[in-house]
Amino acid sequence: MLASELFKLIEQKVPLKLALNDDIVGFIGFGNPEEMEVEKAVVLLDLVPGNTLTGVETDLVVCHHPPIFPPSIPTYIIHSNWDIVQGGANDALAESLKLEVTDVLEEETGIGRICTTQCSLDDFMENVFKSLPTDNIRLVKGSKKLIEKVAVISGFGLNPHYIKLSREKGVDLLLSGDLTHPGSIIAKKLGITLIDATHQATEVPGLIRLCQLLNELGVNTYYHDTGASWETFHQAQPLEIGPKSGIS
């Protein structure tokens, strides 16, 4: 299939016009879509320097995050338009957690989903570990022990704006990634529970669904997990805090 034909099919399902202002979406190079044949594609969260595509045979990279450097391989970006479109990344995240979607979190943009459930916080966290590819979560406990109304945002949602918006919408718990110190303080003030299941893990359900979409369009596609862009180290022994350590 010509790349230009594939891009038209993709954009019928995931329109470019849905993307947020100033977001980079669509084909960014290199090559001429009118001349490129695409039989195999790979879906990535990020195109990063180094060995991202070592050993990967593909005609096209479909990347969720716009790369911060010019790609050296034909690359198509499906970013905020995939978060927003019905059936896209946020719906896939809710479905992976077995949550029933009832509404959109941010009506102006279409970002985020509001869902219903009825469980304890402990049960909800157990469900997160079972449903998403993460072995660690960061938690800010809210004021409610029974979780009934949940908001989910794939990737980047634990910022002050979406925390405040979730509380305005009566949400008990907001699950996403990229928790910050100011965000946690705001959540404590508002009494809303936050779960940071990591940016990467909350994106994976949407990336897998994106692979399914491209396969349905006739291109042999698979998801390539490039892992986190950093390493996490844990201290073997507890650090002594006090006069002996010089830390107070």
Side-chain angles (χ1 to χ4, degrees):
M1 179 187 303
L2 278 175
S4 57
E5 296 173 356
L6 174 62
F7 299 160
K8 288 178 183 177
L9 293 175
I10 292 173
E11 289 158 18
Q12 289 172 5
K13 301 283 187 179
V14 193
L16 299 178
K17 66 181 181 181
L18 291 179
L20 299 176
N21 291 338
D22 301 321
D23 191 21
I24 297 173
V25 292
F27 182 68
I28 62 171
F30 66 78
N32 182 353
E34 297 293 343
E35 300 174 352
M36 292 165 37
E37 288 284 345
V38 178
E39 295 182 359
K40 295 180 291 185
V42 60
V43 168
L44 304 175
L45 179 60
D46 291 286
L47 192 60
V48 297
N51 62 354
T52 304
L53 296 173
T54 299
V56 174
E57 294 184 7
T58 187
D59 302 314
L60 177 72
V61 167
V62 178
C63 197
H64 185 51
H65 292 155
I68 61 174
F69 59 91
S72 58
I73 186 170
T75 302
Y76 187 92
I77 307 300
I78 306 181
H79 192 212
S80 56
N81 50 337
W82 184 237
D83 296 328
I84 290 166
V85 71
Q86 185 174 0
N90 282 295
D91 291 294
L93 175 58
E95 184 177 312
S96 72
L97 293 164
K98 301 177 180 60
L99 298 173
E100 180 182 353
V101 175
T102 59
D103 202 356
V104 171
L105 176 61
E106 188 174 49
E107 296 173 4
E108 295 82 0
T109 62
I111 292 289
R113 297 294 182 266
I114 293 177
C115 312
T116 57
T117 187
Q118 192 160 12
C119 64
S120 68
L121 178 56
D122 286 345
D123 287 342
F124 190 89
M125 288 195 295
E126 183 178 352
N127 179 36
V128 172
F129 281 121
K130 288 180 178 178
S131 304
L132 299 179
T134 183
D135 60 2
N136 71 92
I137 61 176
R138 292 190 292 171
L139 172 69
V140 178
K141 282 188 178 181
S143 57
K144 288 193 67 176
K145 294 183 178 179
L146 180 65
I147 306 302
E148 298 178 286
K149 195 171 184 180
V150 176
V152 299
I153 304 173
S154 60
F156 69 107
L158 294 180
N159 59 54
H161 170 69
Y162 288 117
I163 293 168
K164 292 175 183 177
L165 178 60
S166 295
R167 197 68 193 95
E168 290 170 7
K169 294 270 185 126
V171 165
D172 305 318
L173 183 152
L174 170 61
L175 178 141
S176 187
D178 293 351
L179 178 64
T180 66
H181 184 75
S184 68
I185 300 300
I186 289 171
K188 285 181 178 293
K189 172 69 174 176
L190 297 177
I192 184 173
T193 294
L194 305 181
I195 289 183
D196 183 348
T198 76
H199 191 126
Q200 181 186 11
T202 58
E203 297 275 30
V204 169
L207 297 173
I208 292 173
R209 180 164 292 182
L210 186 54
C211 288
Q212 294 170 346
L213 171 62
L214 293 170
N215 277 297
E216 290 168 3
L217 295 178
V219 176
N220 183 14
T221 308
Y222 70 98
Y223 166 56
H224 182 61
D225 184 1
T226 56
S229 55
W230 60 80
E231 296 180 68
T232 301
F233 292 87
H234 298 280
Q235 187 174 331
Q237 302 242 343
L239 179 67
E240 290 185 11
I241 305 295
K244 289 183 179 180
S245 67
I247 300 174
S248 58

